[in-house]
């Protein structure tokens, strides 16, 4: 078992690393990685069901230390896929979103503190109850997931170990993303929009109306997101703001009119200096 496991894991990690070179899109890389991991687990399951284990110690080692490493990769990539596909627009909302995801990890830790202590302390006094197939104790931190799992290839706690390993990786991922956002926020070269959100919304809709991006083949939401990211601002319901602009009885394009006036004034001043 040890030899087959090491060869299988090594092959999987090599294939995943090669995806970084072969696939450009990050979401496509994640999808491809998930596919590879599922194939790997299928091969591992086939081997276990065919060969079995020499003794209880080998079975415990497999479900406590070996299988969770591979399953943790599946949990990790699946979690990152969900995080990235559900990521909101605007740096402020993204920051809140990442912090919320980190809090989910903290809740899992708090809810499973006893098992964290058991596993991280490398204890073994209940290993035969929680890392051997066909045995479970409802009093020992059981998840509902166990009752739905294939018991020929699962124990009551191997998935929980995989979750612990995966959560460590997810935490690093989220903290790295937050750190990048913070660096972006504090960058000396960053620009901050200091006029009103209404003014920016007016400018965005004017540019959208003029079809200045991608020959007009661009959604207003993408334009708004780009401005939010560029100027570190959260516009909120910009469509509602636009409707308020439309409802103005006087000077519906107040900001744009002022821009024109300011530009003409600047040009006139430059002419007078010459």
């Amino acid at each position: 078992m040890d030899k087959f496991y090491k060869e299988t894991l090594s092959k999987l990690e090599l294939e995943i690393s090669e995806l970084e070179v072969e696939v450009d899109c990050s979401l496509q890389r994640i999808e491809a990685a998930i596919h590879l991991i599922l194939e790997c687990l299928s091969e591992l399951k086939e081997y276990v069901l065919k060969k079995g284990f020499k003794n209880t110690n080998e079975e415990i080692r497999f479900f406590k230390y070996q299988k969770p490493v591979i399953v943790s990769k599946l949990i990790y990539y699946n979690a990152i896929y969900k995080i990235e596909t559900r990521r909101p627009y605007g740096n402020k909302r993204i920051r809140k979103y990442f912090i919320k995801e980190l809090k989910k990890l903290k809740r899992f830790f708090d809810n499973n503190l006893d098992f964290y202590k058991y596993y991280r302390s490398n204890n073994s006094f209940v290993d035969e109850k929680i890392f051997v197939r066909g045995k479970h104790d409802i009093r020992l931190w059981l998840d509902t997931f166990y009752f739905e799992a294939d018991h020929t290839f699962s124990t009551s706690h191997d998935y929980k170990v995989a979750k612990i390993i995966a959560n460590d990786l997810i935490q690093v991922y989220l903290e790295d993303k937050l750190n990048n956002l913070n660096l972006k926020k504090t960058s000396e070269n960053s620009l901050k929009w200091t006029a009103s959100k209404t003014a920016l919304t007016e400018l965005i809709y004017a540019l959208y109306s003029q079809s200045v991006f991608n020959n007009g083949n661009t959604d207003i939401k993408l334009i708004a997101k780009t401005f939010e990211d560029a100027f570190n601002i959260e516009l909120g319901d910009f469509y509602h703001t636009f409707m308020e602009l439309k409802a103005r009885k006087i000077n519906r394009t107040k900001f744009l009119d002022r821009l024109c006036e300011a530009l003409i004034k600047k040009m006139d001043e430059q002419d007078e200096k010459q």
Side-chain angles (χ1 to χ4, degrees):
M1 170 56 71
D2 287 349
K3 181 182 178 183
F4 179 79
Y5 168 75
K6 289 177 182 177
E7 290 175 351
T8 303
L9 178 61
S10 178
K11 177 188 173 187
L12 174 64
E13 291 179 337
L14 178 61
E15 289 174 335
I16 290 176
S17 66
E18 288 175 347
L19 289 175
E20 298 295 324
V21 179
E22 296 174 358
V23 185
D24 294 330
C25 176
S26 59
L27 289 179
Q28 287 180 354
R29 280 201 300 270
I30 295 171
E31 291 172 358
I34 290 173
H35 179 71
L36 290 172
I37 297 165
L38 288 173
E39 284 186 343
C40 176
L41 284 170
S42 179
E43 292 173 9
L44 206 57
K45 179 180 179 179
E46 184 180 351
Y47 184 91
V48 167
L49 297 184
K50 183 178 179 180
K51 300 287 186 180
F53 299 101
K54 294 178 182 178
N55 49 50
T56 300
N57 286 337
E58 186 178 66
E59 183 172 2
I60 290 172
R61 183 166 65 254
F62 176 77
F63 286 110
K64 186 175 182 179
Y65 298 111
Q66 296 176 335
K67 181 191 171 189
V69 169
I70 296 177
V71 175
S72 70
K73 295 180 186 296
L74 180 62
I75 297 171
Y76 169 76
Y77 281 108
N78 189 45
I80 299 307
Y81 188 83
K82 289 179 180 178
I83 288 170
E84 290 302 326
T85 53
R86 295 172 181 173
R87 183 202 286 236
Y89 294 148
N91 285 342
K92 287 184 179 179
R93 276 178 285 180
I94 292 172
R95 188 175 289 105
K96 289 179 183 178
Y97 174 64
F98 286 154
I99 291 172
K100 183 179 178 181
E101 292 299 314
L102 282 171
K103 287 180 179 178
K104 289 181 183 178
L105 302 181
K106 178 66 165 54
R107 281 199 299 272
F108 180 83
F109 173 82
D110 292 339
N111 292 336
N112 294 277
L113 184 58
D114 288 338
F115 184 69
Y116 263 88
K117 290 177 180 178
Y118 177 84
Y119 178 72
R120 291 252 164 94
S121 300
N122 206 29
N123 283 315
S124 59
F125 58 90
V126 291
D127 278 4
E128 290 197 23
K129 291 184 178 181
I130 62 178
F131 294 117
V132 174
R133 292 168 298 173
K135 296 184 179 181
H136 70 266
D137 188 335
I138 196 82
R139 297 167 296 181
L140 294 176
W141 322 296
L142 276 185
D143 290 329
T144 304
F145 171 82
Y146 170 69
F147 298 104
E148 301 173 353
D150 181 351
H151 292 182
T152 63
F153 192 57
S154 300
T155 66
S156 63
H157 284 68
D158 63 89
Y159 184 83
K160 196 182 289 285
V161 173
K163 186 78 171 170
I164 289 173
I165 298 170
N167 281 1
D168 287 343
L169 298 173
I170 297 166
Q171 181 178 340
V172 170
Y173 179 88
L174 290 170
E175 288 177 346
D176 183 58
K177 291 290 184 180
L178 276 171
N179 186 51
N180 289 339
L181 281 175
N182 292 332
L183 288 174
K184 184 177 180 180
K185 183 179 179 181
T186 58
S187 171
E188 292 181 356
N189 297 323
S190 64
L191 294 174
K192 184 176 181 181
W193 182 266
T194 52
S196 69
K197 293 181 180 181
T198 302
L200 182 55
T201 302
E202 188 177 327
L203 175 62
I204 289 170
Y205 268 92
L207 294 170
Y208 174 68
S209 301
Q210 193 63 23
S211 300
V212 300
F213 300 111
N214 299 337
N215 296 316
N217 298 314
T218 302
D219 190 274
I220 186 68
K221 291 181 181 178
L222 178 58
I223 299 172
K225 176 188 177 299
T226 302
F227 274 82
E228 284 181 323
D229 289 343
F231 300 126
N232 191 30
I233 190 171
E234 184 176 336
L235 289 172
D237 188 353
F238 57 89
Y239 180 73
H240 179 73
T241 304
F242 176 66
M243 296 304 290
E244 289 179 344
L245 290 173
K246 282 179 60 181
R248 285 178 181 169
K249 298 196 186 243
I250 302 174
N251 205 359
R252 298 164 94 191
T253 56
K254 181 168 61 175
F255 178 68
L256 294 175
D257 292 344
R258 287 180 178 176
L259 279 182
C260 288
E261 292 171 4
L263 179 58
I264 292 170
K265 182 180 178 182
K266 189 70 175 177
M267 289 175 173
D268 290 341
E269 289 173 353
Q270 292 289 332
D271 289 341
E272 290 173 2
K273 290 179 181 179
Q274 291 178 358

